[in-house]
Amino acid sequence: MKRTQRIFLNVIFFLQVLLLFLFLFEDRLSLPLWLEVAGRLHPAILHLPIGLMAFSIVLVFMQSQFKKKVYFKITLTVLLLTSFTSSVTALFGFFLSKQGDYGLDALTQHKNSGIGLSFACYFLVLAFVYLKKSQLIYYGMGLLTVCVMVYSGHTGSVLTHGENFVLAPLRKSSNSLGGTEGSAFQSVIYPILEKKCTTCHNRTKAKGKFVMTSMSEFMKGGKNGTEWVAGNPTESRMIQYIHLPLADDDHMPPDGKPQLSRQEIKLLEFWIAGGADVEKKLADLADLDSFKIMGSAAIAMAKPITTEEKPYLFSAASEETINKMNTPFRTVFPLYQKSPALQADFFIKESFKSTSLEELLEVQNQLVVLNLSKMPVTDTDLKTIGNFSNLEKLNLNFSKISGSGLSSLRSLKHLSSLSLAGTSITALSLTPVLALSSLTELFVWNTKITEAEKAKLVTANPKITIVTSQFVDDKILRLGKPLLANEGTIIKKNEPVVLRHSMPGVSIRYTLDGTKPDSLSISYDKPILLTATSTIKAIACRPGWYCSEVYETTCFVEGLKPARAELLTKPDKQYPGEGDKSLVDGRKGFIDVFKESAWLGYQNDPFAAAFTFNSNPPILHSIVISYGKNVGSSIFPPEVVEVWAGKNSREITLIQSIKITQPLTYETQQVAALTIPLKATHYSFYKLIAKPVKKIPAWHSGKGKKGWVFVDEIFFY
């Protein structure tokens, strides 16, 4: 036993010395990969010393049950294991601290307390072994060790779960995110971020240096700038990371954390597509706005149950069934939390089909509210609706019904509210529904029913509130931006560019010369046929609405492909792309993921590449370099671009040199196009050079350092 004791104490002493050395010289350390792997075992072993310490406390209260020598051996074994495991845990935790994005203060507190705990456990063993007669010192040291362990555990929980994790359900932080009071962002988007994202993105633990618990820091973004591209969800890092495979290290939220539901992802995408506005309210959005419809549904689903909620006796549909009912054009959700009663809303009339209504028969007993406003529903579809036996509210405003099929609704014994405004119904066609004893309100404004007939209906049906006039809202709203309908940003040869808008009756105006579009710009009447890379700027307008903000996108048109592409300078080892292949593989890089294999990154050396055409080379009029611009991450446009050409690599001459105007302040990140005009050249060999900014300007946080140049594709026209 004594030999084992000496070995353990010597090993533990060595670990204390090693920890102290690492702590004092950590700024000079660079961990090999195998130690980074060891560091990631820290969360797996940290519970061992806690459990052993708890067991040693139990032994103190049970020592009278053991013989003195037996108690000494058991306690010594437990304390040695406690000290050893706490030392290993602290060591692995130190390795892990060199890898993550944690708040400096919280990380320092946890690291110091973890190392302190390791020393406290070691001194506790020494007190037990060598100060047997001084029980007071041993118990005092034990109490101190327990206190340090509690504090170390607390600081660790702050790193993994954020501050006030335990008490968070009882009090909401007054310093939480949220936009203007009552905004759509505050009521719809922030609850998603708070529930699924802020445990890793707060001031204490800021993964990617992205903080979501402060509005100013949230809008600033992370270490690579803002996490979204307003109006373009597909190019937004926030959305890209969500859609990565679960096993991918960059997938958000990480594997093991609660994942976003399909509805939550759609809400984030719709919010970004609408401009990522943090102040606009849901009421200010158009009725057909996808974000407004799904956001309203989300708020309804989150509504807490109260004693006034109506109880329902029918059984609830499974969560799997409800999730299956939800599509981009139909939302199905409980009326309130844990309610078996469901509401279904349809939107985007171009996507409505009778089969999408028939699919709801799977929840026909649970459906209580059905909103089909402005959908192309016909009288034939009313037969399907007649099967929803527990339906209480039905909205058919501005649908295509004529009233001939209203008799199919006689089976709806619980129907209390029916909206038929804006339809072609007649007073006579209402007879079947007026006979429903449960009906309490009926909306019939803007129909074929005359004023005289409306008056008679009101008089003849005193138990039914019949609404015959429309409430008028004179507020003018702004349209959402038009969008590119083509898949991807590389347009195939002879492929027309299609712009779209979800609202009918909208006219689109666009420009191709870089100017801001207005009412006099080109009218989008048919798809646009581009022959070379172009930047499209477009707005959507409609009478009675404010025109949308400008939508801007660069369409890279497929060019002539050289027989060979070769990199003449090596990219930075962090951003190697796929070498030569990256230049002409027809694959564009994501603006927010520069480690993606499409990008080639250069800082210390200029980008230089050679392109060889076959023996009968084409006549070139221009070359386009597709490059990334993220000024916040020191990624600038190239400072100088040169084009050399000739018969071969030995016989070349400079045919074009362009100096690029650099940004004067931080700008929106984007994938940009640099068009280099040529004088109808007819060469077999071309050499391109793009030089990074030598010194980042003084207004930038990285002033004086070298800038980066990122290239993902070269086009020849």
Side-chain angles (χ1 to χ4, degrees):
M1 180 66 187
K2 287 186 177 181
R3 184 182 177 187
T4 304
Q5 173 185 319
R6 283 198 304 270
I7 293 174
F8 257 100
L9 286 174
N10 288 333
V11 170
I12 296 168
F13 176 73
F14 167 76
L15 291 175
Q16 307 314 304
V17 174
L18 178 59
L19 277 170
L20 186 60
F21 174 81
L22 294 174
F23 177 73
L24 293 175
F25 298 99
E26 64 174 313
D27 293 338
R28 303 181 187 181
L29 295 177
S30 179
L31 294 182
L33 293 178
W34 66 275
L35 283 183
E36 290 188 10
V37 173
R40 299 194 177 201
L41 294 175
H42 173 73
I45 63 174
L46 62 85
H47 298 95
L48 290 175
I50 298 174
L52 289 166
M53 178 58 72
F55 183 49
S56 68
I57 295 173
V58 172
L59 287 174
V60 171
F61 292 100
M62 295 183 63
Q63 59 180 306
S64 60
Q65 306 297 317
F66 300 95
K67 292 182 179 180
K68 193 172 183 179
K69 289 185 178 180
V70 174
Y71 170 75
F72 177 82
K73 289 182 179 180
I74 294 175
T75 303
L76 177 59
T77 302
V78 172
L79 291 179
L80 286 170
L81 290 174
T82 303
S83 181
F84 175 74
T85 55
S86 66
S87 300
V88 174
T89 300
L91 186 63
F92 283 15
F94 181 88
F95 296 153
L96 183 61
S97 72
K98 308 298 290 182
Q99 304 174 49
D101 291 317
Y102 302 99
L104 182 59
D105 291 341
L107 178 60
T108 300
Q109 291 172 7
H110 184 55
K111 180 168 58 179
N112 292 350
S113 60
I115 295 174
L117 176 61
S118 176
F119 277 89
C121 290
Y122 176 60
F123 291 135
L124 180 62
V125 177
L126 296 180
F128 182 76
V129 174
Y130 298 111
L131 300 175
K132 299 176 183 178
K133 296 180 180 181
S134 302
Q135 292 291 310
L136 184 62
I137 296 178
Y138 168 65
Y139 289 131
M141 194 65 214
L143 179 61
L144 175 63
T145 303
V146 170
C147 292
V148 175
M149 179 173 285
V150 171
Y151 179 72
S152 179
H154 166 70
T155 55
S157 70
V158 169
L159 281 178
T160 55
H161 299 294
E163 295 182 89
N164 300 320
F165 173 70
V166 176
L167 299 179
L170 301 178
R171 58 178 183 181
K172 293 294 182 181
S173 173
S174 59
N175 192 34
S176 64
L177 189 53
T180 303
E181 186 176 355
S183 67
F185 175 83
Q186 185 185 51
S187 56
V188 178
I189 296 301
Y190 182 63
I192 299 173
L193 304 180
E194 186 179 40
K195 183 179 179 183
K196 302 292 177 70
C197 306
T198 55
T199 56
C200 290
H201 297 284
N202 53 70
R203 284 175 173 169
T204 301
K205 181 183 181 183
K207 283 287 188 180
K209 294 183 173 59
F210 185 31
V211 176
M212 291 188 174
T213 53
S214 160
M215 178 55 70
S216 60
E217 292 175 285
F218 177 75
M219 298 303 292
K220 178 183 175 183
K223 61 184 178 183
N224 292 319
T226 54
E227 302 299 319
W228 61 85
V229 179
N232 198 335
T234 58
E235 291 189 10
S236 298
R237 180 169 52 246
M238 178 185 289
I239 303 302
Q240 291 166 357
Y241 282 11
I242 289 171
H243 286 298
L244 287 173
L246 189 61
D248 195 297
D249 287 343
D250 288 330
H251 173 83
M252 293 296 160
D255 189 11
K257 298 279 187 179
Q259 299 298 304
L260 278 79
S261 67
R262 184 168 59 175
Q263 288 71 37
E264 289 170 334
I265 296 172
K266 278 294 179 186
L267 281 169
L268 289 173
E269 290 176 341
F270 285 146
W271 175 67
I272 294 173
D277 195 309
V278 297
E279 296 185 353
K280 190 174 289 185
K281 298 181 179 181
L282 277 180
D284 296 334
L285 301 177
D287 289 341
L288 288 179
D289 186 275
S290 302
F291 179 54
K292 179 177 182 177
I293 295 169
M294 288 196 74
S296 301
I299 292 173
M301 291 176 70
K303 182 181 177 184
I305 187 169
T306 70
T307 55
E308 298 177 356
E309 304 289 5
K310 179 179 177 180
Y312 292 93
L313 300 179
F314 49 79
S315 60
S318 68
E319 185 176 352
E320 181 182 359
T321 300
I322 296 175
N323 288 336
K324 185 173 64 175
M325 294 288 107
N326 281 278
T327 72
F329 313 109
R330 178 185 66 203
T331 60
V332 177
F333 53 93
L335 288 188
Y336 52 87
Q337 191 175 11
K338 296 183 180 179
S339 171
L342 301 178
Q343 176 173 336
D345 292 338
F346 286 76
F347 48 101
I348 311 299
K349 67 179 182 181
E350 291 81 5
S351 302
F352 177 83
K353 296 179 181 179
S354 295
T355 53
S356 59
L357 186 60
E358 293 168 1
E359 288 169 357
L360 291 178
L361 290 173
E362 194 167 349
V363 291
Q364 64 181 28
N365 293 328
Q366 291 82 16
L367 197 62
V368 171
V369 179
L370 179 59
N371 181 9
L372 290 162
S373 176
K374 301 180 181 179
M375 295 296 108
V377 179
T378 64
D379 290 274
T380 304
D381 295 318
L382 296 182
K383 294 180 181 178
T384 301
I385 296 174
N387 291 303
F388 303 136
S389 56
N390 290 310
L391 197 63
E392 297 175 359
K393 293 184 178 181
L394 175 61
N395 187 342
L396 295 168
N397 289 346
F398 297 95
S399 60
K400 292 187 176 181
I401 67 168
S402 64
S404 61
L406 288 176
S407 58
S408 299
L409 305 183
R410 285 183 294 190
S411 58
L412 304 180
K413 303 302 181 183
H414 302 284
L415 189 65
S416 60
S417 176
L418 178 61
S419 300
L420 300 169
T423 64
S424 300
I425 61 167
T426 62
L428 184 61
S429 65
L430 290 175
T431 303
V433 293
L434 290 172
L436 291 171
S437 59
S438 57
L439 193 66
T440 58
E441 59 180 10
L442 178 65
F443 299 84
V444 293
W445 49 269
N446 196 21
T447 62
K448 291 184 177 181
I449 303 175
T450 65
E451 293 301 319
E453 289 173 330
K454 289 177 182 177
K456 288 183 179 179
L457 287 172
V458 171
T459 304
N461 300 277
K463 294 184 178 181
I464 302 174
T465 300
I466 301 179
V467 181
T468 59
S469 60
Q470 178 188 10
F471 170 75
V472 179
D473 186 355
D474 295 326
K475 185 182 294 183
I476 300 177
L477 303 177
R478 184 177 295 279
L479 290 169
K481 297 178 184 179
L483 294 173
L484 183 71
N486 301 65
E487 292 186 8
T489 52
I490 294 186
I491 309 299
K492 301 294 183 182
K493 290 179 181 177
N494 301 319
E495 176 189 355
V497 175
V498 179
L499 298 176
R500 63 178 177 83
H501 199 282
S502 59
M503 181 175 287
V506 166
S507 63
I508 298 176
R509 299 275 179 173
Y510 71 93
T511 63
L512 297 173
D513 58 3
T515 59
K516 185 177 179 180
D518 54 29
S519 58
L520 299 178
S521 299
I522 306 171
S523 175
Y524 177 78
D525 300 318
K526 59 181 180 180
I528 308 165
L529 193 60
L530 300 176
T531 57
T533 293
S534 303
T535 297
I536 299 176
K537 293 185 178 182
I539 57 171
C541 298
R542 184 184 182 187
W545 296 71
Y546 289 125
C547 291
S548 72
E549 295 177 349
V550 177
Y551 169 72
E552 180 178 345
T553 185
T554 300
C555 294
F556 294 87
V557 177
E558 187 179 36
L560 301 168
K561 193 166 185 178
R564 183 185 177 193
E566 178 186 5
L567 284 173
L568 301 179
T569 54
K570 289 185 177 181
D572 188 276
K573 62 181 181 180
Q574 298 180 74
Y575 310 102
E578 294 186 349
D580 305 335
K581 180 183 175 183
S582 292
L583 296 173
V584 290
D585 61 357
R587 203 162 64 86
K588 302 289 288 106
F590 293 113
I591 185 57
D592 296 326
V593 190
F594 282 103
K595 285 196 174 182
E596 201 263 341
S597 58
W599 286 112
L600 299 163
Y602 290 82
Q603 185 184 40
N604 295 316
D605 299 310
F607 161 80
F611 303 89
T612 305
F613 288 88
N614 54 30
S615 56
N616 186 24
I619 298 175
L620 295 186
H621 293 275
S622 64
I623 299 175
V624 171
I625 299 178
S626 170
Y627 67 92
K629 184 171 70 172
N630 188 333
V631 179
S633 298
S634 301
I635 302 172
F636 284 76
E639 192 169 47
V640 176
V641 174
E642 297 175 353
V643 180
W644 297 71
K647 294 180 180 180
N648 51 57
S649 60
R650 297 180 300 277
E651 302 177 40
I652 59 174
T653 184
L654 180 65
I655 63 172
Q656 184 63 281
S657 179
I658 300 175
K659 188 170 183 178
I660 313 300
T661 302
Q662 297 298 315
L664 299 177
T665 184
Y666 292 99
E667 298 179 355
T668 304
Q669 56 193 17
Q670 65 178 123
V671 177
L674 173 62
T675 300
I676 308 168
L678 304 176
K679 294 182 179 179
T681 58
H682 192 266
Y683 297 102
S684 298
F685 182 87
Y686 291 87
K687 177 181 175 182
L688 265 64
I689 299 176
K691 300 178 181 180
V693 172
K694 294 178 182 177
K695 286 187 178 182
I696 295 177
W699 55 264
H700 194 278
S701 60
K703 62 181 179 179
K705 297 180 181 179
K706 294 180 180 179
W708 285 87
V709 163
F710 276 80
V711 177
D712 66 345
E713 199 77 9
I714 307 294
F715 300 88
F716 297 88
Y717 301 109

